[in-house]
Amino acid sequence: MSTPETFYREAIDLNRYSNQVARQIVTNYNNVILDLTNKLATIDEVTAPATVARIRAMLVQMKESLESWSNASSVYLADELQGLAVFQTEFVKDQLEKVLPKGAVGVNTVKISPNFAQSVVFTDPTEVNILTLPTDLESTVQRTFSLTAAKGSAITLPSGEVVAKAFRGISTKQAELISSQIRIGITEGESIPKIARRLRGRLQFGANQTMTAKAQRLAAGDGMRLANTQVMTIVRTSVNQVQNAVSQATYAANQDVTQRYEYVATLDARTSKICGSLDGRIFKYNEGPLPPQHFNCRSTTVPIIDDEDLRRRFPDTRPSATGRVPQDTNYATWLRDNPSIQDKTLGSKKKFFNYLIDKKRKSPREALRLIIKDDGTELTLKKLAEKYPNAT
């Protein structure tokens, strides 16, 4: 590893942070559907006109509630991403400072505009006036190192949509889907309580408050499962986008310390073909590809800390937190060989990691991917900051 180990460890913790953010949004969505299904479950038959009118009123209320959920979710995620952006620039600055010799030039911090994340979530880049861009470009030339709202508006999901539009799409499509399923069920003679159970699945009010987003998705019925999956995907992808955008901006602001970065796909649980082909490759800033390359991407970038003297003295090795290691050592292999670091990185998953390697004959990379894929543990932004106390 040619970069501080903490960068890799933080990438895993950011996955746990995205789990926590997703749970809040998923839970709020599921509660809207649970409210509908609980009311539906009290209806025995639908032959009376008053009963039909009552069901229609419930569906109208559900649609309005989902619209409110969409708006509230966008605001909540924007607030979380803003906090993440501020944390991330300080985290990267702190890590770069640790590798510099005493008396070296200071590390530049990237200023995060108060509207940066709001722009990421709400602003469609196709609606931004191109005439407003030169001011932003001028600040770059003057090396003020900032992430502005204009730069935030350039960040979209891999589909080209912004988060707010994606959430609105979920609320609209799910309202239509649930209404359609109720109509079809009634037409086919299915009882209302049975329809309600099918839409709800095994979830109940209160119980899902403590369940992870993944657990809720697995227990959810037809009215929740798809939306839960989509929310988790949007949150994970957005966290990845902001983390990488801020990290890259901070790296680029410190090119006297680092001039290149490495694309790391080790943290991508399913490792898409494109991320697999980029894993381990090194690029100059502003000249190479960046994550996310696709939805649900967990890949990251880490800075290459240039040290000409060490490269001359140890040409076939790279630095790590435990000393020089062979040049081709990847993070997962190094993690296997350092149990004390496993405690910090994997926590309770440490035993499973070693079990997969020792008993199931998985490679360290395969074992790490499987663990991250199944890791539903959560971290709030506050807890994330507490794990990296100097990045505040």
Side-chain angles (χ1 to χ4, degrees):
M1 299 158 334
S2 49
T3 197
E5 178 270 339
T6 318
F7 280 99
Y8 297 88
R9 178 153 44 92
E10 193 235 9
I12 295 175
D13 283 331
L14 285 173
N15 182 64
R16 293 164 177 159
Y17 167 67
S18 72
N19 289 342
Q20 188 273 333
V21 175
R23 178 168 68 89
Q24 299 299 319
I25 300 175
V26 162
T27 298
N28 291 337
Y29 171 86
N30 289 344
N31 282 341
V32 172
I33 311 306
L34 285 171
D35 181 63
L36 170 69
T37 57
N38 285 349
K39 292 176 181 176
L40 285 174
T42 64
I43 299 175
D44 294 326
E45 51 84 25
V46 293
T47 55
T51 303
V52 173
R54 182 183 171 196
I55 293 175
R56 286 176 178 168
M58 290 178 187
L59 294 177
V60 170
Q61 178 60 53
M62 174 198 65
K63 182 178 180 181
E64 293 174 351
S65 296
L66 286 179
E67 290 173 353
S68 296
W69 164 85
S70 170
N71 295 330
S73 297
S74 296
V75 171
Y76 168 70
L77 184 55
D79 287 344
E80 287 291 329
L81 293 178
Q82 184 70 21
L84 172 63
V86 173
F87 165 80
Q88 190 66 22
T89 187
E90 292 298 325
F91 167 80
V92 175
K93 175 177 178 289
D94 177 63
Q95 296 305 313
L96 293 179
E97 286 176 340
K98 288 179 178 178
V99 301
L100 291 179
K102 292 184 178 180
V105 64
V107 175
N108 293 312
T109 301
V110 172
K111 180 180 179 182
I112 307 297
S113 164
N115 296 322
F116 171 69
Q118 183 179 11
S119 186
V120 171
V121 172
F122 289 99
T123 305
D124 187 333
T126 62
E127 298 176 358
V128 175
N129 186 350
I130 190 65
L131 297 178
T132 65
L133 294 181
T135 300
D136 192 44
L137 294 176
E138 182 181 356
S139 69
T140 302
V141 173
Q142 294 176 349
R143 297 175 66 80
T144 55
F145 308 124
S146 61
L147 279 174
T148 62
K151 291 177 181 176
S153 69
I155 299 175
T156 65
L157 295 168
S159 62
E161 288 184 329
V162 292
V163 171
K165 185 176 180 180
F167 281 154
R168 287 197 301 271
I170 292 174
S171 67
T172 299
K173 292 176 182 177
Q174 288 301 112
E176 293 172 352
L177 174 66
I178 292 170
S179 297
S180 175
Q181 289 203 19
I182 292 174
R183 288 195 300 270
I184 292 172
I186 292 173
T187 301
E188 294 181 349
E190 191 175 10
S191 71
I192 297 297
K194 184 176 180 181
I195 294 173
R197 288 194 298 272
R198 178 161 52 80
L199 293 173
R200 182 177 61 239
R202 301 190 306 276
L203 290 180
Q204 297 179 355
F205 270 121
N208 63 322
Q209 297 290 338
T210 57
M211 295 172 67
T212 66
K214 181 179 179 180
Q216 289 187 54
R217 177 177 60 81
L218 293 174
D222 294 347
M224 306 176 189
R225 192 176 302 113
L226 177 60
N228 288 186
T229 300
Q230 291 172 332
V231 166
M232 293 167 67
T233 295
I234 291 169
V235 171
R236 181 176 294 125
T237 306
S238 298
V239 167
N240 184 285
Q241 285 177 310
V242 168
Q243 179 254 328
N244 277 293
V246 174
S247 294
Q248 282 285 312
T250 310
Y251 302 157
N254 291 282
Q255 293 194 41
D256 51 343
V257 179
T258 173
Q259 297 180 3
R260 301 171 299 156
Y261 70 92
E262 180 180 355
Y263 194 106
V264 180
T266 304
L267 305 178
D268 186 352
R270 293 177 177 83
T271 310
S272 66
K273 184 176 180 181
I274 186 169
C275 284
S277 68
L278 292 170
D279 185 31
R281 293 180 61 184
I282 295 173
F283 304 93
K284 291 183 177 180
Y285 295 113
N286 300 319
E287 295 184 12
L290 297 174
Q293 290 289 316
H294 53 84
F295 277 110
N296 270 328
C297 186
R298 288 183 175 90
S299 298
T300 189
T301 64
V302 293
I304 301 298
I305 310 302
D306 293 310
D307 191 330
E308 293 291 342
D309 179 58
L310 284 176
R311 279 202 295 272
R312 286 194 298 268
R313 292 166 56 197
F314 305 100
D316 297 322
T317 66
R318 52 173 56 180
S320 79
T322 55
R324 307 297 297 188
V325 297
Q327 185 67 33
D328 60 354
T329 301
N330 61 56
Y331 180 69
T333 300
W334 178 82
L335 190 62
R336 176 200 61 190
D337 297 335
N338 290 276
S340 62
I341 304 297
Q342 291 178 26
D343 290 329
K344 292 181 180 179
T345 304
L346 303 177
S348 62
K349 300 285 184 177
K350 173 183 175 179
K351 291 183 179 179
F352 187 43
F353 176 68
N354 291 297
Y355 169 79
L356 290 171
I357 295 173
D358 298 336
K359 303 298 183 181
K360 295 297 183 179
R361 304 301 181 187
K362 300 291 185 182
S363 71
R365 278 193 175 186
E366 289 175 323
L368 187 58
R369 288 169 183 160
L370 286 170
I371 282 179
I372 295 171
K373 175 183 175 183
D374 294 331
D375 186 8
T377 55
E378 302 174 356
L379 277 178
T380 63
L381 188 58
K382 180 181 179 181
K383 291 292 184 182
L384 181 66
E386 288 175 356
K387 293 193 71 172
Y388 305 92
N390 294 326
T392 55

